[in-house]
Amino acid sequence: MSQLNLPDHPDLSHLRRQAKSLRDRVRRGDQQAIDQVSDHHPEARALVPLLGAEGTSPPFALADAQLTLSRAYGFPSWPALRRHVDEVHRLTRRPHLAPLGTGADRLLRLACLDYGSTTRGSSAEAAVLLAADPSLSRASLATAAATGDLLAAREILEADPSAVHREDGPFGWTPLLYLTYSRLGGAPGPLTERQIDHLGVARLLLAAGADPNAGFLWDGLTSPFTALTGAFGGGEQGAPPHPQELELARLLLEAGASANDSQTIYNRGAGDAHARDDTEYLELLLQAGLGRGDGGPWHRLLAPRHPAPRQLLAEALQHAAHAGLPRRVRLLLDHGADPDLRSTHPVYFGRSPYEEAVLQGNPGVSDLLERAGAATSSVGDPERVVGELLAPAGSDGTSTRSDGGPAGGSAGRSAGSGADAALLDVVRQRHPDLVARAAAAGRADAIERCLGHGFGIDARTPAGLTALHEAAVRGDTGIVTLLLSRGADPELRDPQHGATPGGWAAHGGHDELAALLHSAAEDG
């Protein structure tokens, strides 16, 4: 069955034109359009035989086309699809595009994460601004929340209880979101003598009726950035967590925030700039219901574009398998994660967690999954050689399992000596991007190993990224330096954004590394 993927910025006018085009194509007897009707229209069995038949008037109306299109996008009806589009537009915010502004707006703009800009300012600058003018914290409930000014927040709420629900400031957020995305107090500075009581203000806001599931759709993406997302931080730019991350998250969860938070799972998983095997945030979410229940209010609002609880566990396990994070893998398996359920994220290409662990050179993790009952038959000799080539130092067939036995099931063969030339040729044909994958994992020894076996230093991943792109966006100066010394090209651009590795370093907030790469490109 052909399923369509609704874009993150759906446009109702475009969808209407699609429906009219489908109707017209069906009436002309276009077989591809008729097949789409056959796949998705609920009355296709009776309807399809009449379409395109000689001497008949096609019964296919615009309403039929709209219904077919809606179901192809995963919605039960055209009104349901329209409601989804309306909700996406209503909830979309673009904080990274908000002007810097002045006064209270400037304070909020600098103090809070926006998940987009890298040069807009910082919480340190916000602290300087607030120290110069302490009255800014009393400008609104939003500023009182962001600065943790409990006295000001209490006074504002007593005068105007409705302020707790007001969407205000440069981002159009409620006060609770400004609080959880604020990073004031995260480092020493001019506010060290002033108490920043974010927890106290959060309790006050929640008691006054603030929605613990408050959130927004960042630039139209249908994975909501919630108050909980703000507390945990992470993401492609490596945003720091809130200084009181776990305490604040626990407070939100106790107040009713849904633990099935898709953006947190991404920001601290597949989308995190740092592959870290911490489990505290996962333990908190699992205790509060991650992977269970109906998915919470955001899932009810945005399904089918929002993943179900079981799928969120699969996303977390897939990332842990990909990045080689055994503590997370054990925790997730212990809490019922299916070792064979595949992630829906396109970066994993439909692979199972076990396949991912092997292909990323993580033998300890692949062993954990195998002992948990994961299917292993889809992994053959070429895939195991890939794992050996990418494995970190000391784990190419000889790493140790948690029970003391050999890990990974690779029969102890070293990729450096045991893999014959014919098998290596197969691996080079099937997996030409191993240097880029080694760079993404931060494994210098694996890069050298792959280069020694004839893998191209500028070969691209399926997403079009070279090893330099992968290392640059992660800010890995050591890997970048190694790749440049081995002849990697700093001028190559990725196909989606047209950016060089230097551009990717700048996007990741690594300005010094970006300058190094731009200089290397100029010298080259």
Side-chain angles (χ1 to χ4, degrees):
M1 181 177 288
S2 57
Q3 196 72 31
L4 299 179
N5 185 30
L6 191 69
D8 289 319
H9 307 275
D11 179 81
L12 192 56
S13 297
H14 176 69
L15 292 170
R16 287 193 182 104
R17 289 193 295 272
Q18 274 190 300
K20 290 178 180 177
S21 173
L22 177 62
R23 176 200 62 189
D24 295 343
R25 289 165 53 217
V26 167
R27 288 182 173 182
R28 291 196 303 267
D30 184 299
Q31 189 57 51
Q32 188 175 10
I34 293 173
D35 289 344
Q36 193 172 26
V37 176
S38 180
D39 284 343
H40 298 289
H41 197 289
E43 299 176 11
R45 182 172 296 181
L47 185 61
V48 168
L50 302 176
L51 300 179
E54 284 190 31
T56 64
S57 176
F60 198 72
L62 179 59
D64 292 309
Q66 291 173 336
L67 179 58
T68 299
L69 190 65
S70 300
R71 292 170 71 92
Y73 280 123
F75 294 86
S77 65
W78 180 254
L81 177 57
R82 287 188 58 175
R83 283 194 298 272
H84 175 82
V85 173
D86 290 342
E87 288 296 333
V88 169
H89 285 282
R90 180 179 69 85
L91 294 164
T92 290
R93 302 289 185 274
R94 294 180 172 86
H96 57 303
L97 301 180
L100 189 53
T102 59
D105 278 357
R106 186 182 186 90
L107 174 66
L108 293 170
R109 189 69 183 82
L110 293 171
C112 298
L113 302 176
D114 65 26
Y115 282 95
S117 61
T118 58
T119 58
R120 203 56 94 162
S122 70
S123 58
E125 292 180 57
V128 172
L129 184 63
L130 183 58
D133 184 2
S135 69
L136 288 174
S137 70
R138 313 178 72 83
S140 69
L141 190 55
T143 58
T147 60
D149 190 332
L150 181 57
L151 180 60
R154 185 177 290 121
E155 291 177 353
I156 292 169
L157 272 174
E158 287 175 354
D160 181 10
S162 67
V164 74
H165 304 298
R166 186 169 300 136
E167 296 179 341
D168 199 3
F171 303 151
W173 290 351
T174 59
L176 185 62
L177 290 175
Y178 284 109
L179 186 153
T180 61
Y181 285 81
S182 172
R183 292 302 179 260
L184 279 173
L191 297 181
T192 51
E193 296 182 2
R194 176 190 176 278
Q195 185 181 18
I196 299 176
D197 191 0
H198 280 139
L199 291 180
V201 176
R203 291 189 188 98
L204 180 70
L205 295 176
L206 291 166
D211 182 3
N213 286 294
F216 63 97
L217 302 184
W218 189 90
D219 205 22
L221 300 178
T222 50
S223 182
F225 281 64
T226 67
L228 202 58
T229 306
F232 284 125
E236 293 161 1
Q237 295 176 323
H242 190 277
Q244 294 166 296
E245 167 194 13
L246 296 179
E247 298 94 330
L248 182 54
R250 187 175 291 108
L251 187 63
L252 292 166
L253 290 165
E254 290 172 351
S258 173
N260 289 294
D261 192 284
S262 59
Q263 195 61 38
T264 290
I265 296 302
Y266 177 78
N267 282 356
R268 295 295 290 266
D272 200 349
H274 311 292
R276 38 189 165 178
D277 203 13
D278 59 336
T279 59
E280 292 83 1
Y281 88 97
L282 264 181
E283 289 169 5
L284 189 59
L285 291 176
L286 287 164
Q287 291 167 7
L290 173 62
R292 306 191 302 275
D294 67 357
W298 284 101
H299 181 67
R300 292 193 295 270
L301 182 68
L302 297 172
R305 295 280 290 154
H306 185 276
R310 183 167 174 262
Q311 192 62 49
L312 287 176
L313 279 188
E315 301 297 327
L317 182 62
Q318 190 86 28
H319 165 70
H322 173 91
L325 310 177
R327 291 179 60 206
R328 291 195 189 184
V329 168
R330 290 190 192 96
L331 179 66
L332 290 161
L333 291 172
D334 287 346
H335 281 80
D338 184 342
D340 289 321
L341 185 59
R342 299 164 189 258
S343 165
T344 59
H345 197 289
V347 73
Y348 300 120
F349 303 99
R351 293 189 286 256
S352 72
Y354 179 80
E355 292 166 349
E356 194 68 35
V358 172
L359 287 169
Q360 297 302 323
N362 300 320
V365 167
S366 62
D367 179 74
L368 285 171
L369 291 163
E370 184 174 359
R371 286 189 287 145
T376 63
S377 59
S378 60
V379 174
D381 283 346
E383 290 74 30
R384 298 200 184 281
V385 170
V386 169
E388 293 162 4
L389 287 165
L390 292 180
S395 64
D396 51 343
T398 61
S399 60
T400 303
R401 296 188 318 207
S402 57
D403 63 358
S410 60
R413 180 180 56 212
S414 166
S417 59
D420 61 36
L423 186 54
L424 279 169
D425 282 342
V426 171
V427 174
R428 280 189 290 265
Q429 292 170 14
R430 292 185 184 178
H431 305 277
D433 62 339
L434 292 199
V435 177
R437 285 157 59 181
R443 297 175 183 172
D445 55 317
I447 290 174
E448 297 280 25
R449 194 180 305 129
C450 292
L451 291 174
H453 283 85
F455 289 84
I457 196 167
D458 289 323
R460 297 176 183 267
T461 67
L465 305 181
T466 68
L468 270 182
H469 284 99
E470 294 281 12
V473 74
R474 290 165 174 79
D476 196 330
T477 302
I479 296 295
V480 166
T481 302
L482 170 63
L483 291 168
L484 290 174
S485 72
R486 298 294 187 271
D489 188 346
E491 297 187 77
L492 296 178
R493 297 177 180 272
D494 75 280
Q496 183 174 359
H497 304 287
T500 64
W504 278 68
H507 173 72
H510 313 298
D511 294 339
E512 291 185 7
L513 185 57
L516 170 67
L517 284 160
H518 289 317
S519 177
E522 292 172 359
D523 293 343

